[in-house]
Amino acid sequence: MNTRNLKCFQTVYEERNLQIAAGKLFLSPQGLSKIIKSLEDECGAALFVRSKEGFVPTESGKIFYEKSKVIVQSLNDMFQSIESIGDKEKRFKVGFAAGTIRAIDIPKVKSFMEENPEILGSWSEYENAKVIDQVLNDEISFGFVVGKPAQSNITATLVQSLDLVVYIHKMHRFWDKNTLEIKELRDENLILMNEKHHLYYDVVNACHMCDFKPHIAATVEEGEAMYKLVENGIGIGISPRFLKDNDNIRAVNLKDAYTWDIYGIYRKDSADKDIAERFLTALKS
């Protein structure tokens, strides 16, 4: 007797119809009928009366149903508790700042995680500052962030560096330019990555340094949305060079070689410093 067979029994009990129950369980009616017969043989009692009205539970079947629900719930609770303990044992947790998943070498990260089962990666992105705080508070062991943190007790290693570009539609006056300066964006409608991204603040601060307040027409979560807005003439987009040029949109470099730098960070006194160092080595290999 196993939980799968108990679930099969419960579905037949609730539906009172073998065909419908088999469909819900993705089984053939013949296969489901064999499972019910096997349970009856194991119990030494009929659990259903087969009739024109369908599968009608016997008194034994009613008792079996109520007790089986308790058993299945207890087993589910047990498996969840074991899974929870397993997650806690995966002590080396990795966090990602917004946008970094697109920039790092995912196959290398995935491969290293699979080779080191003590690593737990959630593949969720957070604000840059939150990832830094999580590392400082020892909530995670390693983080990918944008820009080098200033905190003295954090080790930061450059993992990836991408050019920052302006995405231009072919009908825009900047289409034929090879480079642009921030000051040239003064009167433009800008499409930026939203406030969850470190880049948003970098661009706004750069505009203020050039003595103007940027006109932000839209903020987006990811690059595809920016592409769509640029394509429809909402404005020009500022982003790391994530997306390829096409016949309607091209990327123009920002002058002064401004780059979007991804750092791998961990606490200098981390108990898992050796794993962090091996992780960085694997990423840069």
Side-chain angles (χ1 to χ4, degrees), residues 79-262:
F79 290 136
Q80 287 175 6
S81 296
I82 291 172
E83 184 179 358
S84 177
I85 290 171
D87 285 345
K88 288 178 182 177
E89 289 173 347
K90 293 182 177 184
R91 65 185 190 279
F92 190 87
K93 298 180 181 179
V94 180
F96 303 84
T100 57
I101 287 178
R102 296 201 61 169
I104 61 176
D105 192 327
I106 295 298
K108 285 185 178 180
V109 174
K110 181 174 180 288
S111 176
F112 189 83
M113 288 180 176
E114 290 173 347
E115 292 168 5
N116 296 269
E118 67 270 40
I119 294 178
L120 177 65
S122 66
W123 300 102
S124 297
E125 291 186 315
Y126 304 96
E127 291 84 355
N128 214 63
K130 181 174 181 178
V131 176
I132 294 173
D133 286 342
Q134 286 177 323
V135 170
L136 287 171
N137 296 330
D138 214 20
E139 295 171 18
I140 61 175
S141 306
F142 189 95
F144 290 101
V145 297
V146 180
K148 188 174 183 179
Q151 290 83 351
S152 60
N153 58 335
I154 283 183
T155 295
T157 301
L158 184 64
V159 174
Q160 180 66 277
S161 185
L162 297 175
D163 292 332
L164 193 66
V165 298
V166 183
Y167 285 104
I168 307 291
H169 187 267
K170 67 179 181 180
M171 301 303 292
H172 195 278
R173 61 193 180 95
F174 290 155
W175 177 256
D176 293 322
K177 280 186 169 285
N178 293 319
T179 60
L180 283 167
E181 296 182 60
I182 286 288
K183 64 182 181 181
E184 294 180 83
L185 309 181
R186 179 186 298 271
D187 299 319
E188 298 297 325
N189 291 326
L190 303 183
I191 304 166
L192 306 181
M193 307 305 289
N194 64 26
E195 292 89 336
K196 185 177 178 181
H197 295 74
H198 192 271
L199 179 58
Y200 173 89
Y201 303 99
D202 287 344
V203 173
V204 170
N205 290 337
C207 293
H208 289 162
M209 291 292 289
C210 291
D211 297 321
F212 72 94
K213 180 180 179 181
H215 182 263
I216 301 172
T219 59
V220 297
E221 182 73 25
E222 38 74 32
E224 284 76 8
M226 177 178 289
Y227 233 51
K228 192 73 174 177
L229 292 175
V230 171
E231 192 172 39
N232 284 277
I234 304 302
I236 58 178
I238 302 178
S239 162
R241 191 187 289 273
F242 284 142
L243 305 171
K244 295 180 179 179
D245 294 354
N246 60 35
D247 292 339
N248 295 315
I249 299 174
R250 63 182 291 259
V252 177
N253 285 328
L254 274 173
K255 199 173 179 182
D256 300 324
Y258 187 88
T259 57
W260 197 68
D261 298 328
I262 307 296

